[in-house]
Amino acid sequence: MTNTASTLRTAVPLDELIAAAGELRIGGRWERATRLLDSGEATDPRPRALLALAAAEVALESDWFGGTALTEPRLAAAEECVEVLIASLDGKPADEAQADIRWDLDFLRLRHGYLGQVRVDGAFRAGPDGKDPDASAALRTHAERLRGEAPDDVRRGWAEMYLGLVADNLFAERDVAPGHYEAALCAGEAGEAGGTGEAGGSHDAGDDLLVREALRHLGDHDHDHGDHARARERWGRATELGARAGTVPGTLSQQLLLAVLTRDAGDEAGAVALVREIARWAGAIGAVTTEAQARGFLAGADPTAPPAPAESDS
């Protein structure tokens, strides 16, 4: 793997380049991560596919937190590179690494499809109202297939996580989702110490980001049930794990949930002070969706509130 900058050429191990871009990605440095990946030169099909997959994941997270629309072409490029990789096998069975690449591509498709369902007119909108039920059902089937085909426990945990998200945010099945989150939590905690991998990254030892995501949503259910102590415990640990993994926009969004509990406890001044900083930080790094949620909180909105019921036509 070579990296180019003007006339300077440097050899960089592929895994190190992708890992560095991954840390930039979860830190909210999406443009820098993209430039780093695009600067890599690879001729063999496998490294080309890995670079394209990593770039598609950067685009997806930029779309999620930054409100951009970059994923479609990057995902198409990744699909083309993976097709070239499979064609290069010339009928030979794929090895374990190539099977992982195919799963990771399919998981990116799932995540992109989910984002398209929950992001409506630039804002997060939970619940089935106004959404195509067939598209939501297809996403659930997609996640179930990924769970069955997962090559390791952490990837299986990510599929479970999205089964929970689909149940929660597309079907409003609040009684179904926690079971999926618990399964995701168990998968992420396996060998968790020191693990900061994620789907598309390292899967050697647990996954802090998967644990964080599961705790985030389990805490939301605790909060809905009035168990604020349990919600604070889970959300506090989720914030710590996100910070340890290096996710700046994710940690800001998690702190917003802690501000919800601060407001619930009657400390409006403390909640407002915290969220003003969250809004300022999110705006500074271009995390426009988190900034918008924070501004909504300051205006009195509850980011954990369930979707409003649809108006009756009668």
Side-chain angles (χ1 to χ4, degrees):
M1 167 58 53
T2 60
N3 186 42
T4 60
S6 184
T7 57
L8 176 67
R9 297 174 64 85
T10 347
V12 179
L14 175 67
D15 290 348
E16 288 298 321
L17 187 147
I18 290 176
E23 292 188 7
L24 288 168
R25 167 177 56 79
I26 64 174
R29 302 298 186 182
W30 306 297
E31 291 184 7
R32 174 66 72 182
T34 298
R35 288 198 298 271
L36 178 60
L37 291 166
D38 286 348
S39 73
E41 294 180 354
T43 54
D44 292 340
R46 183 174 179 274
R48 282 174 62 86
L50 288 171
L51 285 170
L53 279 171
E57 190 163 20
V58 172
L60 181 60
E61 293 199 13
S62 175
D63 288 359
W64 181 267
F65 287 108
T68 54
L70 305 175
T71 303
E72 286 283 359
R74 288 290 182 172
L75 193 53
E79 288 170 344
E80 182 178 348
C81 287
V82 172
E83 287 175 5
V84 170
L85 172 61
I86 299 307
S88 72
L89 299 176
D90 197 22
K92 294 186 242 183
D95 62 20
E96 182 177 331
Q98 288 154 345
D100 291 353
I101 289 172
R102 296 177 73 171
W103 193 96
D104 291 344
L105 173 62
D106 209 10
F107 184 58
L108 280 176
R109 292 192 190 106
L110 172 70
R111 292 174 63 192
H112 186 232
Y114 172 76
L115 176 59
Q117 287 287 89
V118 297
R119 178 74 51 77
V120 180
D121 297 328
F124 177 80
R125 185 181 300 171
D129 292 340
K131 295 174 183 172
D132 180 357
D134 291 339
S136 297
L139 282 174
R140 172 173 274 169
T141 300
H142 191 165
E144 288 172 342
R145 177 171 54 80
L146 282 170
R147 179 179 60 183
E149 296 175 354
D152 54 61
D153 288 341
V154 169
R155 284 182 172 90
R156 186 174 300 107
W158 275 109
E160 288 280 9
M161 190 68 228
Y162 271 80
L163 281 168
L165 293 173
V166 167
D168 242 348
N169 296 326
L170 299 185
F171 289 96
E173 296 173 348
R174 299 289 285 174
D175 58 331
V176 172
H180 294 298
Y181 299 149
E182 291 284 2
L185 179 64
C186 289
E189 285 181 324
E192 178 196 330
T196 56
E198 59 188 299
S202 170
H203 300 273
D204 294 335
D207 189 330
D208 278 355
L209 292 177
L210 177 54
V211 174
R212 169 203 173 273
E213 196 72 15
L215 289 171
R216 175 179 171 84
H217 288 85
L218 286 167
D220 181 55
H221 284 261
D222 294 331
H223 180 257
D224 280 359
H225 294 147
D227 190 347
H228 290 187
R230 184 64 167 148
R232 181 174 295 280
E233 177 186 344
R234 280 175 158 156
W235 283 348
R237 184 174 171 224
T239 306
E240 178 185 356
L241 290 172
R244 185 168 81 179
T247 171
V248 176
T251 299
L252 291 173
S253 65
Q254 192 59 41
Q255 287 180 326
L256 185 58
L257 297 181
L258 295 177
V260 169
L261 291 176
T262 303
R263 172 178 278 174
D264 289 342
D267 185 2
E268 181 67 13
V272 166
L274 174 57
V275 175
R276 278 181 180 153
E277 288 305 303
I278 293 169
R280 192 163 66 92
W281 280 46
I285 67 170
V288 298
T289 56
T290 303
E291 182 185 12
Q293 284 187 314
R295 299 289 178 200
F297 182 97
L298 293 173
D302 179 359
T304 68
E311 294 183 7
S312 173
D313 294 331
S314 58

